[in-house]
PDB file of all heavy atoms in Angstrom:
ATOM      1  N   TYR A  19      90.529 109.430  96.239  1.00  0.00           N
ATOM      2  CA  TYR A  19      89.646 110.521  96.352  1.00  0.00           C
ATOM      3  C   TYR A  19      88.514 110.364  95.362  1.00  0.00           C
ATOM      4  O   TYR A  19      88.804 109.780  94.226  1.00  0.00           O
ATOM      5  CB  TYR A  19      90.335 111.873  96.147  1.00  0.00           C
ATOM      6  CG  TYR A  19      91.358 112.262  97.188  1.00  0.00           C
ATOM      7  CD1 TYR A  19      92.715 112.025  97.000  1.00  0.00           C
ATOM      8  CD2 TYR A  19      90.955 112.819  98.417  1.00  0.00           C
ATOM      9  CE1 TYR A  19      93.607 112.386  98.000  1.00  0.00           C
ATOM     10  CE2 TYR A  19      91.831 113.221  99.337  1.00  0.00           C
ATOM     11  CZ  TYR A  19      93.233 112.969  99.098  1.00  0.00           C
ATOM     12  OH  TYR A  19      94.118 113.342 100.066  1.00  0.00           O
ATOM     13  N   GLY A  34      93.562 121.320  87.752  1.00  0.00           N
ATOM     14  CA  GLY A  34      94.958 120.850  87.923  1.00  0.00           C
ATOM     15  C   GLY A  34      95.449 121.140  89.335  1.00  0.00           C
ATOM     16  O   GLY A  34      96.139 120.340  89.927  1.00  0.00           O
ATOM     17  N   GLY A  35      95.130 122.389  89.888  1.00  0.00           N
ATOM     18  CA  GLY A  35      95.650 122.733  91.214  1.00  0.00           C
ATOM     19  C   GLY A  35      95.077 121.786  92.252  1.00  0.00           C
ATOM     20  O   GLY A  35      95.881 121.497  93.296  1.00  0.00           O
ATOM     21  N   ALA A  36      93.886 121.265  92.143  1.00  0.00           N
ATOM     22  CA  ALA A  36      93.382 120.294  93.151  1.00  0.00           C
ATOM     23  C   ALA A  36      94.137 118.988  93.090  1.00  0.00           C
ATOM     24  O   ALA A  36      94.481 118.409  94.133  1.00  0.00           O
ATOM     25  CB  ALA A  36      91.868 120.101  92.876  1.00  0.00           C
ATOM     26  N   ILE A  37      94.452 118.605  91.843  1.00  0.00           N
ATOM     27  CA  ILE A  37      95.191 117.317  91.702  1.00  0.00           C
ATOM     28  C   ILE A  37      96.627 117.501  92.272  1.00  0.00           C
ATOM     29  O   ILE A  37      97.138 116.617  92.931  1.00  0.00           O
ATOM     30  CB  ILE A  37      95.360 116.918  90.194  1.00  0.00           C
ATOM     31  CG1 ILE A  37      93.973 116.894  89.539  1.00  0.00           C
ATOM     32  CG2 ILE A  37      96.088 115.674  89.985  1.00  0.00           C
ATOM     33  CD1 ILE A  37      93.046 115.808  89.999  1.00  0.00           C
ATOM     34  N   VAL A  38      97.241 118.709  92.029  1.00  0.00           N
ATOM     35  CA  VAL A  38      98.566 118.968  92.587  1.00  0.00           C
ATOM     36  C   VAL A  38      98.553 118.895  94.100  1.00  0.00           C
ATOM     37  O   VAL A  38      99.485 118.399  94.751  1.00  0.00           O
ATOM     38  CB  VAL A  38      99.168 120.304  92.021  1.00  0.00           C
ATOM     39  CG1 VAL A  38     100.429 120.666  92.671  1.00  0.00           C
ATOM     40  CG2 VAL A  38      99.319 120.244  90.532  1.00  0.00           C
ATOM     41  N   ALA A  39      97.531 119.472  94.718  1.00  0.00           N
ATOM     42  CA  ALA A  39      97.465 119.450  96.240  1.00  0.00           C
ATOM     43  C   ALA A  39      97.383 117.996  96.679  1.00  0.00           C
ATOM     44  O   ALA A  39      98.043 117.687  97.658  1.00  0.00           O
ATOM     45  CB  ALA A  39      96.226 120.258  96.668  1.00  0.00           C
ATOM     46  N   TRP A  40      96.675 117.133  96.004  1.00  0.00           N
ATOM     47  CA  TRP A  40      96.547 115.764  96.427  1.00  0.00           C
ATOM     48  C   TRP A  40      97.933 115.077  96.250  1.00  0.00           C
ATOM     49  O   TRP A  40      98.358 114.297  97.082  1.00  0.00           O
ATOM     50  CB  TRP A  40      95.499 115.004  95.616  1.00  0.00           C
ATOM     51  CG  TRP A  40      94.048 115.363  95.924  1.00  0.00           C
ATOM     52  CD1 TRP A  40      93.637 116.019  97.050  1.00  0.00           C
ATOM     53  CD2 TRP A  40      92.908 115.155  95.127  1.00  0.00           C
ATOM     54  NE1 TRP A  40      92.294 116.149  97.037  1.00  0.00           N
ATOM     55  CE2 TRP A  40      91.810 115.591  95.751  1.00  0.00           C
ATOM     56  CE3 TRP A  40      92.734 114.531  93.830  1.00  0.00           C
ATOM     57  CZ2 TRP A  40      90.537 115.601  95.255  1.00  0.00           C
ATOM     58  CZ3 TRP A  40      91.416 114.502  93.378  1.00  0.00           C
ATOM     59  CH2 TRP A  40      90.379 115.043  94.069  1.00  0.00           C
ATOM     60  N   ILE A  41      98.558 115.383  95.097  1.00  0.00           N
ATOM     61  CA  ILE A  41      99.884 114.806  94.827  1.00  0.00           C
ATOM     62  C   ILE A  41     100.943 115.203  95.890  1.00  0.00           C
ATOM     63  O   ILE A  41     101.655 114.370  96.466  1.00  0.00           O
ATOM     64  CB  ILE A  41     100.338 115.223  93.407  1.00  0.00           C
ATOM     65  CG1 ILE A  41      99.535 114.552  92.327  1.00  0.00           C
ATOM     66  CG2 ILE A  41     101.833 114.958  93.259  1.00  0.00           C
ATOM     67  CD1 ILE A  41      99.805 114.977  90.930  1.00  0.00           C
ATOM     68  N   ASP A  42     100.920 116.500  96.249  1.00  0.00           N
ATOM     69  CA  ASP A  42     101.881 117.016  97.204  1.00  0.00           C
ATOM     70  C   ASP A  42     101.652 116.312  98.546  1.00  0.00           C
ATOM     71  O   ASP A  42     102.611 115.917  99.251  1.00  0.00           O
ATOM     72  CB  ASP A  42     101.679 118.522  97.327  1.00  0.00           C
ATOM     73  CG  ASP A  42     102.770 119.247  98.112  1.00  0.00           C
ATOM     74  OD1 ASP A  42     103.887 118.714  98.161  1.00  0.00           O
ATOM     75  OD2 ASP A  42     102.474 120.305  98.717  1.00  0.00           O
ATOM     76  N   MET A  43     100.385 116.161  98.948  1.00  0.00           N
ATOM     77  CA  MET A  43     100.056 115.501 100.215  1.00  0.00           C
ATOM     78  C   MET A  43     100.466 114.073 100.328  1.00  0.00           C
ATOM     79  O   MET A  43     101.166 113.618 101.242  1.00  0.00           O
ATOM     80  CB  MET A  43      98.539 115.594 100.465  1.00  0.00           C
ATOM     81  CG  MET A  43      98.064 114.968 101.690  1.00  0.00           C
ATOM     82  SD  MET A  43      98.733 115.725 103.227  1.00  0.00           S
ATOM     83  CE  MET A  43      97.731 117.183 103.342  1.00  0.00           C
ATOM     84  N   VAL A  44     100.133 113.280  99.249  1.00  0.00           N
ATOM     85  CA  VAL A  44     100.458 111.869  99.275  1.00  0.00           C
ATOM     86  C   VAL A  44     101.980 111.635  99.172  1.00  0.00           C
ATOM     87  O   VAL A  44     102.550 110.741  99.831  1.00  0.00           O
ATOM     88  CB  VAL A  44      99.668 111.103  98.180  1.00  0.00           C
ATOM     89  CG1 VAL A  44     100.186 111.316  96.786  1.00  0.00           C
ATOM     90  CG2 VAL A  44      99.637 109.643  98.425  1.00  0.00           C
ATOM     91  N   ALA A  45     102.667 112.505  98.454  1.00  0.00           N
ATOM     92  CA  ALA A  45     104.140 112.408  98.285  1.00  0.00           C
ATOM     93  C   ALA A  45     104.792 112.787  99.649  1.00  0.00           C
ATOM     94  O   ALA A  45     105.772 112.091 100.073  1.00  0.00           O
ATOM     95  CB  ALA A  45     104.579 113.345  97.199  1.00  0.00           C
ATOM     96  N   ILE A  62     108.572 120.741  93.015  1.00  0.00           N
ATOM     97  CA  ILE A  62     107.775 119.858  92.161  1.00  0.00           C
ATOM     98  C   ILE A  62     108.474 119.842  90.834  1.00  0.00           C
ATOM     99  O   ILE A  62     108.441 120.834  90.163  1.00  0.00           O
ATOM    100  CB  ILE A  62     106.272 120.245  92.059  1.00  0.00           C
ATOM    101  CG1 ILE A  62     105.691 120.232  93.543  1.00  0.00           C
ATOM    102  CG2 ILE A  62     105.533 119.370  91.141  1.00  0.00           C
ATOM    103  CD1 ILE A  62     104.176 120.572  93.596  1.00  0.00           C
ATOM    104  N   LEU A  79      95.823 107.516  94.008  1.00  0.00           N
ATOM    105  CA  LEU A  79      97.202 108.093  94.024  1.00  0.00           C
ATOM    106  C   LEU A  79      98.176 107.160  94.704  1.00  0.00           C
ATOM    107  O   LEU A  79      97.871 106.617  95.790  1.00  0.00           O
ATOM    108  CB  LEU A  79      97.223 109.430  94.756  1.00  0.00           C
ATOM    109  CG  LEU A  79      96.494 110.589  94.118  1.00  0.00           C
ATOM    110  CD1 LEU A  79      95.203 110.829  94.917  1.00  0.00           C
ATOM    111  CD2 LEU A  79      97.318 111.832  94.173  1.00  0.00           C
TER     112      LEU A  79
END
Side-chain angles (χ1 to χ4, degrees):
Y19 292 98
I37 307 295
V38 172
W40 289 341
I41 288 173
D42 192 27
M43 177 63 79
V44 72
I62 297 183
L79 292 106

